[in-house]
Amino acid sequence: MRGSMQMTHERWTATEAYLRDVFGVEDTGLRAIRDRAAERGLPDIAITPEVGRFLHLLAGSCRADRAIEVGTLAGYSAAWIARALPAQGRLYTIERDPAYASFAEEQLASIGLSDRVEVKRGAALEVLDQLASALAPASVGFAFIDAEKTEYLDYFRKLSPLIAPGGMIVADNVLGTSRWWIDQLDHPERSAIDRFLREVVRDPDFECAGVPMREGLLIARCVRERGR
Ligand SMILES: C[S@@+](CC[C@H](N)C(=O)[O-])C[C@H]1O[C@@H](n2cnc3c(N)ncnc32)[C@H](O)[C@@H]1O
């Protein structure tokens, strides 16, 4: 690789600043969610505005009217996704921490999204089982995974039958969480993510790309034939 094109931390920061300058960051409602989450002392582990914009674009391009998110925190990514849904659409977002779930509900209400987002409290694997019983197979257009890294493969297996042909599963942190996985080959979360990625990539029902944006995104589009 030519030296001038190496992506150092400094170059990434400058690149992000340039993208924010050209595309804008976010509106005041979304910004307020980030600010209030910081004031409340919630962990600084939400997606960035750039990833939010990308999720919004992907959810909109799937024409999803039903979506599932695993890992709500303050509701920041939920807000980006929900805004891509039609007025009668529904996002189910799953959060095991009751204080975060209530905080997210307040934030989503503050930007007029209460009717489009339902915060489901509980452990993701249990809530996904409940959703699988309540929703028809292949009835979900978009899913975003951003919770327990060691459970990603289980989330995928539970979500897969729910995803409609043409729908997408997107997962965050597939290249790292704060530190890059490529430098931490024996990290248990890294091995779990590696198993997850390799299973999704091998699955004939999905076509995939890994996007090295922020801490890495997996984009998996469902190419299963209808009725299979
Ligand atoms: C990285 S944060 C989510 C950030 C959020 N998606 C955003 O970008 O705005 C992960 C969240 O998942 C929740 N979580 C972690 N493991 C979980 C589990 N097994 N079931 C449900 N929620 C879980 C955590 O409490 C935390 O709020």
Side-chain angles (χ1 to χ4, degrees), residues 144-216:
F144 180 51
I145 297 177
D146 189 19
E148 189 64 61
K149 307 310 157 200
T150 52
E151 293 183 351
Y152 271 32
L153 184 52
D154 299 304
Y155 301 153
F156 171 71
R157 288 175 179 166
K158 288 177 190 292
L159 282 167
S160 169
L162 287 171
I163 301 296
M168 274 181 202
I169 298 178
V170 178
D172 194 19
N173 298 110
V174 300
L175 297 174
T177 51
S178 318
R179 312 262 310 268
W180 296 109
W181 297 133
I182 49 168
D183 302 328
Q184 310 211 319
L185 297 186
D186 55 353
H187 195 296
E189 290 185 342
R190 193 265 182 197
S191 354
I193 293 283
D194 183 63
R195 277 196 304 280
F196 157 72
L197 284 178
R198 289 175 195 278
E199 177 162 322
V200 182
V201 167
R202 270 198 312 268
D203 190 326
D205 285 348
F206 288 87
E207 58 183 23
C208 309
V211 180
M213 182 177 192
R214 191 175 159 260
E215 293 175 325

Side-chain angles (χ1 to χ4, degrees), residues 45-47 69 71-73 76-77 95-96 100 122-124 144 146-148 151 155:
I45 51 174
I47 56 160
E69 175 181 63
T72 314
L73 191 64
Y76 182 72
S77 52
E95 177 54 58
R96 74 174 166 199
Y100 295 169
F144 180 51
D146 189 19
E148 189 64 61
E151 293 183 351
Y155 301 153

Side-chain angles (χ1 to χ4, degrees), residues 82 85-90 115-116:
L85 306 180
Q88 74 285 6
R90 195 122 192 109
D115 54 344
R116 237 178 287 176

Side-chain angles (χ1 to χ4, degrees), residues 39-57:
E39 278 162 27
R40 185 68 73 92
L42 265 63
D44 182 17
I45 51 174
I47 56 160
T48 58
E50 288 65 45
V51 175
R53 188 179 300 280
F54 191 41
L55 293 180
H56 181 84
L57 188 81

